[in-house]
Amino acid sequence: MTDYTINPGDNAPADIELNTWPEGTLKLSELHGQWVIVYFYPKDNTSGCTTESCEFRDALPDFTAANAAIVGVSRDSVKSHAGFTEKQSLNFPLISDPDEHFCKAFDVLQIKKNYGKEYLGIERSTFIINPEGDIAFAWRKVRVKDHVKTVLTTLKELQE
């Protein structure tokens, strides 16, 4: 079992400012006062990441009704995010983290294996951040199937 350095109850990294698509920058501190769903995914335009992003896209009205913003994060460039957003009609910002500042702050970089080779990659992870800026819930090693429904259900339970 991996011991993570950021867990529920901890303050979310609020002041790391990174580029986003749509073009601009974002710091989590700008979203204080509302719930925030931050999901980390390995790569734009891959099957699991596309499915997950589209499910968040489709559920955005439910998250908005629950006073929650959605933010996706990968190491892809803003240009890659632009194409991915346009192709999939995504309706929330994607953070570009090529230098891994945000990924390291959330402790989502893990050793992965592919065809027998080890590499450092993003472990698919989702965090719910409360309006005060604290991690309220965290999922690691996320499986895409039914994950967005689980996040929405958990958010609503946390708000009760």
Side-chain angles (χ1 to χ4, degrees), residues 28-150:
L28 288 180
S29 60
E30 296 167 2
L31 301 174
H32 278 197
Q34 65 182 318
W35 294 83
V36 182
I37 311 302
V38 178
Y39 75 99
F40 291 83
Y41 63 97
K43 189 145 184 61
D44 290 344
N45 295 304
T46 56
S47 62
C49 299
T50 298
T51 298
E52 182 179 28
S53 295
C54 289
E55 288 181 5
F56 273 117
R57 175 200 66 204
D58 295 345
L60 183 65
D62 296 322
F63 283 99
T64 301
N67 189 33
I70 297 173
V71 179
V73 184
S74 79
R75 297 183 296 186
D76 294 301
S77 68
V78 171
K79 183 177 179 183
S80 176
H81 282 347
F84 185 47
T85 297
E86 185 174 315
K87 186 175 181 182
Q88 303 303 331
S89 302
L90 301 181
N91 49 7
F92 50 82
L94 297 178
I95 291 176
S96 173
D97 190 16
D99 297 325
E100 303 171 344
H101 297 298
F102 216 56
C103 291
K104 288 175 182 171
F106 275 89
D107 197 22
V108 299
L109 295 173
Q110 301 294 321
I111 299 293
K112 298 173 125 186
K113 285 186 181 181
N114 193 18
Y115 299 110
K117 293 188 178 190
E118 289 189 350
Y119 66 98
L120 195 60
I122 291 179
E123 177 181 65
R124 191 181 308 274
S125 304
T126 303
F127 299 86
I128 297 178
I129 302 169
N130 69 22
E132 292 76 39
D134 300 321
I135 305 289
F137 207 92
W139 289 267
R140 306 285 186 157
K141 296 183 173 104
V142 166
R143 298 277 179 234
V144 173
K145 184 172 172 42
D146 295 324
H147 178 61
V148 172
K149 289 179 193 171
T150 301

Side-chain angles (χ1 to χ4, degrees), residues 146-158:
D146 295 324
H147 178 61
V148 172
K149 289 179 193 171
T150 301
V151 173
L152 184 59
T153 299
T154 303
L155 172 67
K156 290 177 178 180
E157 289 170 356
L158 289 167

